[in-house]
Amino acid sequence: LSKLAIFRFRPAAETVTDVAVGRDALRLLDARLPRIAKGRWFVVSSGAVFERHGDRFLKAVLRSNVDPSPLLVPDGEKAKSWPVLGRLLLELTRRGLKRDGGVIAFGGGTVGDVGGLAASLALRGVPIVQVPTTLLAASDSALGGKTAVDLPAGKNLVGTVHHPRLVLVDTALLQTLPERVLRSGLAEVVKSSFLDLAFHRAFPRLEEGLAMGKPDALAEGVLRSLRMKARVVAGDPLERTGARFALNLGHTVGHALETASKHALTHGEAVGWGLLAMLELSVARVGLDPAVAERLSERVVRLVAPPRLTPRTLSGWVERLASDKKSDQRGLRAVLLAEPGRAVTLQVTAGDLEGSLARALRKSMPAGPSRS
Ligand SMILES: NC(=O)c1ccc[n+]([C@@H]2O[C@H](COP(=O)([O-])OP(=O)(O)OC[C@H]3O[C@@H](n4cnc5c(N)ncnc54)[C@H](O)[C@@H]3O)[C@@H](O)[C@H]2O)c1
Ligand SMILES: [Zn+2]
């Protein structure tokens, strides 16, 4: 995979997302942007990302109609706030965004979420192009169209579905990721490998390269994750049939842990524990072969290395399950794995999830340091 891999999918009627993954994918921007919108483009990024990779980015859009000074949002989750969204919208109109223009989100998942929301609201919606710079954003959040900001009551409580016209993953950008951010993103790649049989089978060949953050392994891992997600999203664009729910594997427990830890755990670390818990429950409830569960657990421990959970990190996590945005009248649902590539959704109780995390905790003593 030393050259670019490109595919196209239709997440909804009359909506097309082009996806390109590989080294130097940024160079496609100049040719692609004017085909999407001929007017002026604006870049949303964070200071930390733009300081590191802004020069590369600007060089790639030299001949395009892109405003060279980015609209900067705070780094990390702080970007996903109502005031930041408001400022983005004011700034976009002040700088003269027109209906024939567009927005490029250049950063991690936080930049993609708030940038995408701003693009979907400005002038009732202008095109968004996602250029993810974290592995989580590259392998997961940049594709699928979900945009969001947070409210005091919880994460992602305000948002729209606004599919990107282009998702461009340049693996060179991922080379500067801190170890912990890389591992957090690997949780989504590992999750994808559980949901897709071909990816699962290819995994042993990729595992070492992924663990070391090698560009070619990352490119293939990202590409396989995005293809899987594209297939699922295209089958359930508005999240009506429940098919898309499978992408939440590990996330019911993961979100509860992430919130209860007050984000001492990263999203990926929390999802890592969620995956381990779901493998336990899958053996008990949907007949996942224990030997396979064991191998998949090792994959999580090796690549995500979720840190040991301290009583402080754990406190209150079960109560958090009830406030899961995806729970409804019928209670909690969890995605289980009958076998690699075959997910099953089941009604579960908080007790089921608590018991399976406890079993996973007893079994694994992941190598990572403990965080509290
Ligand atoms: N829309 C969706 O479908 C979806 C799906 C999953 C997650 N999300 C959202 O994504 C967000 C998390 O995204 P994230 O993990 O990318 O976090 P993030 O955007 O906060 O980035 C993590 C850190 O990495 C740094 N960083 C980014 N690119 C870098 C690079 N190339 N080199 C070095 N450092 C770099 C950032 O400065 C930041 O400090 C959450 O808010 C979550 O809700 C959205
Ligand atoms: Zn996730």
Side-chain angles (χ1 to χ4, degrees), residues 261-296:
S261 80
K262 305 201 173 61
H263 299 274
L265 290 174
T266 67
H267 177 74
E269 289 167 349
V271 167
W273 278 115
L275 291 172
L276 292 170
M278 286 312 99
L279 291 169
E280 291 292 328
L281 198 57
S282 298
V283 172
R285 296 285 288 277
V286 294
L288 176 66
D289 180 338
V292 174
E294 185 67 36
R295 285 217 313 278
L296 298 183

PDB file of all heavy atoms in Angstrom, residues 261-296:
ATOM      1  N   SER A 261     -14.467   8.257  34.628  1.00  0.00           N
ATOM      2  CA  SER A 261     -13.069   8.588  34.944  1.00  0.00           C
ATOM      3  C   SER A 261     -12.812  10.087  34.772  1.00  0.00           C
ATOM      4  O   SER A 261     -11.687  10.536  34.943  1.00  0.00           O
ATOM      5  CB  SER A 261     -12.116   7.805  34.035  1.00  0.00           C
ATOM      6  OG  SER A 261     -12.010   8.424  32.764  1.00  0.00           O
ATOM      7  N   LYS A 262     -13.836  10.828  34.390  1.00  0.00           N
ATOM      8  CA  LYS A 262     -13.701  12.258  34.073  1.00  0.00           C
ATOM      9  C   LYS A 262     -12.590  12.452  33.047  1.00  0.00           C
ATOM     10  O   LYS A 262     -11.773  13.352  33.140  1.00  0.00           O
ATOM     11  CB  LYS A 262     -13.430  13.081  35.331  1.00  0.00           C
ATOM     12  CG  LYS A 262     -14.502  12.863  36.406  1.00  0.00           C
ATOM     13  CD  LYS A 262     -14.539  14.012  37.400  1.00  0.00           C
ATOM     14  CE  LYS A 262     -15.713  13.886  38.360  1.00  0.00           C
ATOM     15  NZ  LYS A 262     -15.658  12.638  39.170  1.00  0.00           N
ATOM     16  N   HIS A 263     -12.578  11.556  32.084  1.00  0.00           N
ATOM     17  CA  HIS A 263     -11.636  11.608  30.961  1.00  0.00           C
ATOM     18  C   HIS A 263     -10.181  11.394  31.365  1.00  0.00           C
ATOM     19  O   HIS A 263      -9.265  11.741  30.620  1.00  0.00           O
ATOM     20  CB  HIS A 263     -11.825  12.884  30.141  1.00  0.00           C
ATOM     21  CG  HIS A 263     -13.209  12.971  29.560  1.00  0.00           C
ATOM     22  ND1 HIS A 263     -13.550  12.388  28.366  1.00  0.00           N
ATOM     23  CD2 HIS A 263     -14.354  13.494  30.056  1.00  0.00           C
ATOM     24  CE1 HIS A 263     -14.837  12.573  28.138  1.00  0.00           C
ATOM     25  NE2 HIS A 263     -15.353  13.240  29.157  1.00  0.00           N
ATOM     26  N   ALA A 264      -9.958  10.810  32.550  1.00  0.00           N
ATOM     27  CA  ALA A 264      -8.603  10.351  32.880  1.00  0.00           C
ATOM     28  C   ALA A 264      -8.240   9.226  31.918  1.00  0.00           C
ATOM     29  O   ALA A 264      -7.088   9.059  31.533  1.00  0.00           O
ATOM     30  CB  ALA A 264      -8.536   9.863  34.324  1.00  0.00           C
ATOM     31  N   LEU A 265      -9.240   8.437  31.526  1.00  0.00           N
ATOM     32  CA  LEU A 265      -9.046   7.449  30.462  1.00  0.00           C
ATOM     33  C   LEU A 265      -9.349   8.141  29.143  1.00  0.00           C
ATOM     34  O   LEU A 265     -10.330   8.873  29.038  1.00  0.00           O
ATOM     35  CB  LEU A 265     -10.028   6.286  30.612  1.00  0.00           C
ATOM     36  CG  LEU A 265      -9.856   5.310  31.771  1.00  0.00           C
ATOM     37  CD1 LEU A 265     -11.036   4.345  31.782  1.00  0.00           C
ATOM     38  CD2 LEU A 265      -8.548   4.554  31.627  1.00  0.00           C
ATOM     39  N   THR A 266      -8.541   7.876  28.118  1.00  0.00           N
ATOM     40  CA  THR A 266      -8.905   8.378  26.794  1.00  0.00           C
ATOM     41  C   THR A 266     -10.077   7.537  26.284  1.00  0.00           C
ATOM     42  O   THR A 266     -10.356   6.443  26.800  1.00  0.00           O
ATOM     43  CB  THR A 266      -7.750   8.243  25.781  1.00  0.00           C
ATOM     44  OG1 THR A 266      -7.525   6.841  25.556  1.00  0.00           O
ATOM     45  CG2 THR A 266      -6.486   8.898  26.299  1.00  0.00           C
ATOM     46  N   HIS A 267     -10.713   8.041  25.216  1.00  0.00           N
ATOM     47  CA  HIS A 267     -11.811   7.311  24.602  1.00  0.00           C
ATOM     48  C   HIS A 267     -11.363   5.891  24.230  1.00  0.00           C
ATOM     49  O   HIS A 267     -12.026   4.907  24.559  1.00  0.00           O
ATOM     50  CB  HIS A 267     -12.277   8.078  23.371  1.00  0.00           C
ATOM     51  CG  HIS A 267     -13.364   7.405  22.605  1.00  0.00           C
ATOM     52  ND1 HIS A 267     -14.662   7.352  23.050  1.00  0.00           N
ATOM     53  CD2 HIS A 267     -13.327   6.735  21.423  1.00  0.00           C
ATOM     54  CE1 HIS A 267     -15.383   6.682  22.173  1.00  0.00           C
ATOM     55  NE2 HIS A 267     -14.613   6.293  21.176  1.00  0.00           N
ATOM     56  N   GLY A 268     -10.212   5.801  23.602  1.00  0.00           N
ATOM     57  CA  GLY A 268      -9.739   4.493  23.133  1.00  0.00           C
ATOM     58  C   GLY A 268      -9.402   3.549  24.277  1.00  0.00           C
ATOM     59  O   GLY A 268      -9.656   2.344  24.197  1.00  0.00           O
ATOM     60  N   GLU A 269      -8.816   4.075  25.343  1.00  0.00           N
ATOM     61  CA  GLU A 269      -8.502   3.232  26.493  1.00  0.00           C
ATOM     62  C   GLU A 269      -9.786   2.668  27.102  1.00  0.00           C
ATOM     63  O   GLU A 269      -9.858   1.487  27.456  1.00  0.00           O
ATOM     64  CB  GLU A 269      -7.723   4.035  27.540  1.00  0.00           C
ATOM     65  CG  GLU A 269      -6.297   4.358  27.100  1.00  0.00           C
ATOM     66  CD  GLU A 269      -5.600   5.410  27.967  1.00  0.00           C
ATOM     67  OE1 GLU A 269      -6.275   6.066  28.789  1.00  0.00           O
ATOM     68  OE2 GLU A 269      -4.384   5.576  27.817  1.00  0.00           O
ATOM     69  N   ALA A 270     -10.790   3.545  27.207  1.00  0.00           N
ATOM     70  CA  ALA A 270     -12.068   3.098  27.762  1.00  0.00           C
ATOM     71  C   ALA A 270     -12.721   2.068  26.832  1.00  0.00           C
ATOM     72  O   ALA A 270     -13.260   1.050  27.285  1.00  0.00           O
ATOM     73  CB  ALA A 270     -12.992   4.305  27.973  1.00  0.00           C
ATOM     74  N   VAL A 271     -12.650   2.316  25.537  1.00  0.00           N
ATOM     75  CA  VAL A 271     -13.220   1.363  24.575  1.00  0.00           C
ATOM     76  C   VAL A 271     -12.441   0.042  24.632  1.00  0.00           C
ATOM     77  O   VAL A 271     -13.015  -1.043  24.480  1.00  0.00           O
ATOM     78  CB  VAL A 271     -13.229   1.960  23.148  1.00  0.00           C
ATOM     79  CG1 VAL A 271     -13.524   0.898  22.096  1.00  0.00           C
ATOM     80  CG2 VAL A 271     -14.256   3.082  23.066  1.00  0.00           C
ATOM     81  N   GLY A 272     -11.137   0.122  24.870  1.00  0.00           N
ATOM     82  CA  GLY A 272     -10.333  -1.095  25.024  1.00  0.00           C
ATOM     83  C   GLY A 272     -10.919  -1.980  26.122  1.00  0.00           C
ATOM     84  O   GLY A 272     -11.138  -3.189  25.913  1.00  0.00           O
ATOM     85  N   TRP A 273     -11.206  -1.389  27.266  1.00  0.00           N
ATOM     86  CA  TRP A 273     -11.834  -2.166  28.344  1.00  0.00           C
ATOM     87  C   TRP A 273     -13.227  -2.640  27.941  1.00  0.00           C
ATOM     88  O   TRP A 273     -13.642  -3.756  28.269  1.00  0.00           O
ATOM     89  CB  TRP A 273     -11.901  -1.346  29.639  1.00  0.00           C
ATOM     90  CG  TRP A 273     -10.603  -1.370  30.390  1.00  0.00           C
ATOM     91  CD1 TRP A 273      -9.769  -0.316  30.629  1.00  0.00           C
ATOM     92  CD2 TRP A 273      -9.982  -2.528  30.983  1.00  0.00           C
ATOM     93  NE1 TRP A 273      -8.668  -0.748  31.321  1.00  0.00           N
ATOM     94  CE2 TRP A 273      -8.764  -2.085  31.563  1.00  0.00           C
ATOM     95  CE3 TRP A 273     -10.324  -3.876  31.071  1.00  0.00           C
ATOM     96  CZ2 TRP A 273      -7.891  -2.954  32.228  1.00  0.00           C
ATOM     97  CZ3 TRP A 273      -9.455  -4.740  31.720  1.00  0.00           C
ATOM     98  CH2 TRP A 273      -8.264  -4.289  32.297  1.00  0.00           C
ATOM     99  N   GLY A 274     -13.949  -1.779  27.222  1.00  0.00           N
ATOM    100  CA  GLY A 274     -15.282  -2.165  26.757  1.00  0.00           C
ATOM    101  C   GLY A 274     -15.209  -3.393  25.848  1.00  0.00           C
ATOM    102  O   GLY A 274     -16.026  -4.313  25.955  1.00  0.00           O
ATOM    103  N   LEU A 275     -14.208  -3.424  24.976  1.00  0.00           N
ATOM    104  CA  LEU A 275     -14.059  -4.574  24.073  1.00  0.00           C
ATOM    105  C   LEU A 275     -13.753  -5.836  24.877  1.00  0.00           C
ATOM    106  O   LEU A 275     -14.321  -6.905  24.623  1.00  0.00           O
ATOM    107  CB  LEU A 275     -12.943  -4.313  23.054  1.00  0.00           C
ATOM    108  CG  LEU A 275     -13.222  -3.233  21.999  1.00  0.00           C
ATOM    109  CD1 LEU A 275     -11.963  -2.935  21.184  1.00  0.00           C
ATOM    110  CD2 LEU A 275     -14.360  -3.661  21.067  1.00  0.00           C
ATOM    111  N   LEU A 276     -12.869  -5.714  25.870  1.00  0.00           N
ATOM    112  CA  LEU A 276     -12.531  -6.892  26.683  1.00  0.00           C
ATOM    113  C   LEU A 276     -13.777  -7.411  27.411  1.00  0.00           C
ATOM    114  O   LEU A 276     -14.022  -8.622  27.465  1.00  0.00           O
ATOM    115  CB  LEU A 276     -11.428  -6.535  27.694  1.00  0.00           C
ATOM    116  CG  LEU A 276     -10.045  -6.243  27.075  1.00  0.00           C
ATOM    117  CD1 LEU A 276      -9.091  -5.676  28.112  1.00  0.00           C
ATOM    118  CD2 LEU A 276      -9.465  -7.509  26.436  1.00  0.00           C
ATOM    119  N   ALA A 277     -14.571  -6.485  27.934  1.00  0.00           N
ATOM    120  CA  ALA A 277     -15.794  -6.901  28.632  1.00  0.00           C
ATOM    121  C   ALA A 277     -16.767  -7.583  27.677  1.00  0.00           C
ATOM    122  O   ALA A 277     -17.386  -8.603  28.001  1.00  0.00           O
ATOM    123  CB  ALA A 277     -16.448  -5.681  29.296  1.00  0.00           C
ATOM    124  N   MET A 278     -16.896  -7.028  26.451  1.00  0.00           N
ATOM    125  CA  MET A 278     -17.854  -7.600  25.498  1.00  0.00           C
ATOM    126  C   MET A 278     -17.415  -8.973  25.006  1.00  0.00           C
ATOM    127  O   MET A 278     -18.245  -9.812  24.677  1.00  0.00           O
ATOM    128  CB  MET A 278     -18.065  -6.652  24.309  1.00  0.00           C
ATOM    129  CG  MET A 278     -18.895  -5.437  24.647  1.00  0.00           C
ATOM    130  SD  MET A 278     -20.416  -5.827  25.562  1.00  0.00           S
ATOM    131  CE  MET A 278     -19.885  -5.463  27.213  1.00  0.00           C
ATOM    132  N   LEU A 279     -16.100  -9.202  24.955  1.00  0.00           N
ATOM    133  CA  LEU A 279     -15.635 -10.544  24.571  1.00  0.00           C
ATOM    134  C   LEU A 279     -16.048 -11.542  25.651  1.00  0.00           C
ATOM    135  O   LEU A 279     -16.502 -12.657  25.343  1.00  0.00           O
ATOM    136  CB  LEU A 279     -14.116 -10.540  24.354  1.00  0.00           C
ATOM    137  CG  LEU A 279     -13.653  -9.751  23.116  1.00  0.00           C
ATOM    138  CD1 LEU A 279     -12.138  -9.572  23.112  1.00  0.00           C
ATOM    139  CD2 LEU A 279     -14.109 -10.450  21.826  1.00  0.00           C
ATOM    140  N   GLU A 280     -15.921 -11.156  26.905  1.00  0.00           N
ATOM    141  CA  GLU A 280     -16.376 -12.017  28.009  1.00  0.00           C
ATOM    142  C   GLU A 280     -17.859 -12.342  27.864  1.00  0.00           C
ATOM    143  O   GLU A 280     -18.277 -13.499  27.935  1.00  0.00           O
ATOM    144  CB  GLU A 280     -16.163 -11.311  29.358  1.00  0.00           C
ATOM    145  CG  GLU A 280     -14.722 -11.146  29.775  1.00  0.00           C
ATOM    146  CD  GLU A 280     -14.069 -12.484  30.100  1.00  0.00           C
ATOM    147  OE1 GLU A 280     -14.792 -13.377  30.592  1.00  0.00           O
ATOM    148  OE2 GLU A 280     -12.860 -12.636  29.834  1.00  0.00           O
ATOM    149  N   LEU A 281     -18.650 -11.291  27.684  1.00  0.00           N
ATOM    150  CA  LEU A 281     -20.099 -11.483  27.604  1.00  0.00           C
ATOM    151  C   LEU A 281     -20.494 -12.285  26.355  1.00  0.00           C
ATOM    152  O   LEU A 281     -21.469 -13.037  26.371  1.00  0.00           O
ATOM    153  CB  LEU A 281     -20.794 -10.108  27.616  1.00  0.00           C
ATOM    154  CG  LEU A 281     -22.279 -10.087  27.964  1.00  0.00           C
ATOM    155  CD1 LEU A 281     -22.543 -10.732  29.330  1.00  0.00           C
ATOM    156  CD2 LEU A 281     -22.815  -8.646  27.961  1.00  0.00           C
ATOM    157  N   SER A 282     -19.722 -12.114  25.294  1.00  0.00           N
ATOM    158  CA  SER A 282     -20.036 -12.827  24.053  1.00  0.00           C
ATOM    159  C   SER A 282     -19.849 -14.334  24.209  1.00  0.00           C
ATOM    160  O   SER A 282     -20.605 -15.126  23.637  1.00  0.00           O
ATOM    161  CB  SER A 282     -19.142 -12.332  22.911  1.00  0.00           C
ATOM    162  OG  SER A 282     -19.373 -10.966  22.679  1.00  0.00           O
ATOM    163  N   VAL A 283     -18.846 -14.735  24.971  1.00  0.00           N
ATOM    164  CA  VAL A 283     -18.652 -16.158  25.234  1.00  0.00           C
ATOM    165  C   VAL A 283     -19.851 -16.696  26.013  1.00  0.00           C
ATOM    166  O   VAL A 283     -20.416 -17.740  25.699  1.00  0.00           O
ATOM    167  CB  VAL A 283     -17.335 -16.406  26.012  1.00  0.00           C
ATOM    168  CG1 VAL A 283     -17.229 -17.862  26.457  1.00  0.00           C
ATOM    169  CG2 VAL A 283     -16.132 -16.015  25.164  1.00  0.00           C
ATOM    170  N   ALA A 284     -20.298 -15.924  26.999  1.00  0.00           N
ATOM    171  CA  ALA A 284     -21.391 -16.382  27.857  1.00  0.00           C
ATOM    172  C   ALA A 284     -22.742 -16.373  27.147  1.00  0.00           C
ATOM    173  O   ALA A 284     -23.562 -17.256  27.362  1.00  0.00           O
ATOM    174  CB  ALA A 284     -21.457 -15.505  29.111  1.00  0.00           C
ATOM    175  N   ARG A 285     -22.967 -15.402  26.262  1.00  0.00           N
ATOM    176  CA  ARG A 285     -24.327 -15.200  25.770  1.00  0.00           C
ATOM    177  C   ARG A 285     -24.568 -15.537  24.308  1.00  0.00           C
ATOM    178  O   ARG A 285     -25.699 -15.846  23.930  1.00  0.00           O
ATOM    179  CB  ARG A 285     -24.736 -13.738  26.006  1.00  0.00           C
ATOM    180  CG  ARG A 285     -24.801 -13.369  27.485  1.00  0.00           C
ATOM    181  CD  ARG A 285     -26.042 -13.938  28.155  1.00  0.00           C
ATOM    182  NE  ARG A 285     -27.234 -13.245  27.728  1.00  0.00           N
ATOM    183  CZ  ARG A 285     -27.647 -12.091  28.265  1.00  0.00           C
ATOM    184  NH1 ARG A 285     -26.980 -11.543  29.253  1.00  0.00           N
ATOM    185  NH2 ARG A 285     -28.729 -11.500  27.828  1.00  0.00           N
ATOM    186  N   VAL A 286     -23.556 -15.416  23.461  1.00  0.00           N
ATOM    187  CA  VAL A 286     -23.826 -15.679  22.046  1.00  0.00           C
ATOM    188  C   VAL A 286     -22.876 -16.707  21.453  1.00  0.00           C
ATOM    189  O   VAL A 286     -22.713 -16.785  20.231  1.00  0.00           O
ATOM    190  CB  VAL A 286     -23.834 -14.372  21.197  1.00  0.00           C
ATOM    191  CG1 VAL A 286     -25.000 -13.477  21.605  1.00  0.00           C
ATOM    192  CG2 VAL A 286     -22.528 -13.608  21.315  1.00  0.00           C
ATOM    193  N   GLY A 287     -22.254 -17.481  22.328  1.00  0.00           N
ATOM    194  CA  GLY A 287     -21.493 -18.630  21.859  1.00  0.00           C
ATOM    195  C   GLY A 287     -20.181 -18.333  21.177  1.00  0.00           C
ATOM    196  O   GLY A 287     -19.699 -19.155  20.388  1.00  0.00           O
ATOM    197  N   LEU A 288     -19.573 -17.182  21.464  1.00  0.00           N
ATOM    198  CA  LEU A 288     -18.235 -16.938  20.909  1.00  0.00           C
ATOM    199  C   LEU A 288     -17.280 -17.988  21.463  1.00  0.00           C
ATOM    200  O   LEU A 288     -17.263 -18.256  22.665  1.00  0.00           O
ATOM    201  CB  LEU A 288     -17.749 -15.525  21.279  1.00  0.00           C
ATOM    202  CG  LEU A 288     -16.324 -15.157  20.836  1.00  0.00           C
ATOM    203  CD1 LEU A 288     -16.221 -15.091  19.301  1.00  0.00           C
ATOM    204  CD2 LEU A 288     -15.889 -13.803  21.422  1.00  0.00           C
ATOM    205  N   ASP A 289     -16.511 -18.605  20.574  1.00  0.00           N
ATOM    206  CA  ASP A 289     -15.540 -19.629  20.958  1.00  0.00           C
ATOM    207  C   ASP A 289     -14.524 -19.035  21.955  1.00  0.00           C
ATOM    208  O   ASP A 289     -13.881 -18.027  21.653  1.00  0.00           O
ATOM    209  CB  ASP A 289     -14.838 -20.086  19.659  1.00  0.00           C
ATOM    210  CG  ASP A 289     -13.779 -21.161  19.913  1.00  0.00           C
ATOM    211  OD1 ASP A 289     -13.281 -21.265  21.052  1.00  0.00           O
ATOM    212  OD2 ASP A 289     -13.458 -21.874  18.944  1.00  0.00           O
ATOM    213  N   PRO A 290     -14.391 -19.636  23.136  1.00  0.00           N
ATOM    214  CA  PRO A 290     -13.485 -19.068  24.151  1.00  0.00           C
ATOM    215  C   PRO A 290     -12.049 -18.908  23.652  1.00  0.00           C
ATOM    216  O   PRO A 290     -11.368 -17.944  24.036  1.00  0.00           O
ATOM    217  CB  PRO A 290     -13.535 -20.090  25.290  1.00  0.00           C
ATOM    218  CG  PRO A 290     -14.792 -20.859  25.081  1.00  0.00           C
ATOM    219  CD  PRO A 290     -15.081 -20.843  23.617  1.00  0.00           C
ATOM    220  N   ALA A 291     -11.600 -19.830  22.799  1.00  0.00           N
ATOM    221  CA  ALA A 291     -10.220 -19.713  22.297  1.00  0.00           C
ATOM    222  C   ALA A 291     -10.090 -18.485  21.394  1.00  0.00           C
ATOM    223  O   ALA A 291      -9.072 -17.781  21.410  1.00  0.00           O
ATOM    224  CB  ALA A 291      -9.828 -20.970  21.530  1.00  0.00           C
ATOM    225  N   VAL A 292     -11.144 -18.225  20.602  1.00  0.00           N
ATOM    226  CA  VAL A 292     -11.124 -17.040  19.738  1.00  0.00           C
ATOM    227  C   VAL A 292     -11.177 -15.775  20.606  1.00  0.00           C
ATOM    228  O   VAL A 292     -10.437 -14.812  20.379  1.00  0.00           O
ATOM    229  CB  VAL A 292     -12.314 -17.065  18.746  1.00  0.00           C
ATOM    230  CG1 VAL A 292     -12.387 -15.774  17.948  1.00  0.00           C
ATOM    231  CG2 VAL A 292     -12.191 -18.274  17.817  1.00  0.00           C
ATOM    232  N   ALA A 293     -12.034 -15.800  21.618  1.00  0.00           N
ATOM    233  CA  ALA A 293     -12.142 -14.643  22.523  1.00  0.00           C
ATOM    234  C   ALA A 293     -10.790 -14.323  23.143  1.00  0.00           C
ATOM    235  O   ALA A 293     -10.397 -13.157  23.264  1.00  0.00           O
ATOM    236  CB  ALA A 293     -13.173 -14.930  23.617  1.00  0.00           C
ATOM    237  N   GLU A 294     -10.091 -15.387  23.496  1.00  0.00           N
ATOM    238  CA  GLU A 294      -8.764 -15.221  24.090  1.00  0.00           C
ATOM    239  C   GLU A 294      -7.808 -14.505  23.124  1.00  0.00           C
ATOM    240  O   GLU A 294      -7.111 -13.562  23.487  1.00  0.00           O
ATOM    241  CB  GLU A 294      -8.239 -16.637  24.418  1.00  0.00           C
ATOM    242  CG  GLU A 294      -6.930 -16.703  25.144  1.00  0.00           C
ATOM    243  CD  GLU A 294      -7.031 -16.143  26.556  1.00  0.00           C
ATOM    244  OE1 GLU A 294      -8.102 -16.344  27.186  1.00  0.00           O
ATOM    245  OE2 GLU A 294      -6.068 -15.503  26.998  1.00  0.00           O
ATOM    246  N   ARG A 295      -7.812 -14.971  21.871  1.00  0.00           N
ATOM    247  CA  ARG A 295      -6.928 -14.342  20.876  1.00  0.00           C
ATOM    248  C   ARG A 295      -7.291 -12.878  20.652  1.00  0.00           C
ATOM    249  O   ARG A 295      -6.429 -12.018  20.516  1.00  0.00           O
ATOM    250  CB  ARG A 295      -7.024 -15.091  19.533  1.00  0.00           C
ATOM    251  CG  ARG A 295      -6.297 -16.422  19.510  1.00  0.00           C
ATOM    252  CD  ARG A 295      -5.648 -16.684  18.150  1.00  0.00           C
ATOM    253  NE  ARG A 295      -6.512 -16.445  16.987  1.00  0.00           N
ATOM    254  CZ  ARG A 295      -7.408 -17.324  16.528  1.00  0.00           C
ATOM    255  NH1 ARG A 295      -7.576 -18.482  17.123  1.00  0.00           N
ATOM    256  NH2 ARG A 295      -8.139 -17.044  15.471  1.00  0.00           N
ATOM    257  N   LEU A 296      -8.601 -12.608  20.599  1.00  0.00           N
ATOM    258  CA  LEU A 296      -9.028 -11.227  20.362  1.00  0.00           C
ATOM    259  C   LEU A 296      -8.690 -10.339  21.562  1.00  0.00           C
ATOM    260  O   LEU A 296      -8.318  -9.175  21.402  1.00  0.00           O
ATOM    261  CB  LEU A 296     -10.531 -11.173  20.049  1.00  0.00           C
ATOM    262  CG  LEU A 296     -10.966 -11.930  18.798  1.00  0.00           C
ATOM    263  CD1 LEU A 296     -12.468 -11.736  18.544  1.00  0.00           C
ATOM    264  CD2 LEU A 296     -10.192 -11.477  17.559  1.00  0.00           C
TER     265      LEU A 296
END
